Amino acid sequence: MLELTMASVSGTEAGATAGMLMADAPSEAGAVLRVGRDRSVCRLATPEDWLFVSRVHLEFRCGPDGTWQVTWLRGSQPDPSSEVRLVLAGEPGRALPYGGAAPLPRGGAGEIVVQDRTSPRSVNVGFYHEV
């Protein structure tokens, strides 16, 4: 099972956890969890006026062997207005390229941070892969 928690944080709310959202999915081939502004397809949705987040920004997908990966989906713009970092427990964060994907550790935990390039706002998506 993959468990996600999401908090949308602006500079004035740094450290606040109010409004935290949660979602989970079984580790079965083809299972998908999405994060973005479009509530019709995303299990975790950000504020609609946070345009640095695409309609569908992140996709977590389970492969045939029960492992998960996260993909930063390309949006409608050629250049993103955000940066995405993958932070694994016990490791320094690393940039996830626009349109790129990264595997999530089996039985591991971490966080994906979507940072607005123009203001002190971020979307923090914590994950835990339960085996």
Side-chain angles (χ1 to χ4, degrees):
M1 173 160 307
L2 183 69
E3 298 173 351
L4 301 179
T5 57
M6 183 187 81
S8 302
V9 181
S10 69
T12 59
E13 302 168 331
T17 56
M20 186 171 287
L21 303 173
M22 297 171 61
D24 61 29
S27 293
E28 297 172 352
V32 175
L33 290 168
R34 293 183 182 97
V35 177
R37 291 189 342 258
D38 187 341
R39 294 182 188 282
S40 68
V41 292
C42 297
R43 290 274 305 274
L44 296 175
T46 63
E48 290 181 21
D49 61 342
W50 283 30
L51 300 180
F52 71 97
V53 177
S54 300
R55 286 183 53 252
V56 182
H57 203 87
L58 300 173
E59 181 177 83
F60 295 82
R61 182 174 293 274
C62 188
D65 60 354
T67 60
W68 287 84
Q69 78 169 16
V70 60
T71 303
W72 180 7
L73 301 173
R74 294 186 72 83
S76 60
Q77 302 298 318
D79 295 315
S81 53
S82 62
E83 297 174 354
V84 175
R85 286 188 329 273
L86 173 62
V87 182
L88 299 175
E91 296 181 17
R94 66 177 191 239
L96 186 63
Y98 189 43
L104 301 180
R106 207 170 160 79
E111 183 175 46
I112 290 93
V113 179
V114 179
Q115 181 71 50
D116 187 344
R117 287 185 172 173
T118 63
S119 75
R121 298 183 296 186
S122 67
V123 176
N124 299 15
V125 180
F127 66 86
Y128 174 68
H129 183 206
E130 182 180 308
V131 283

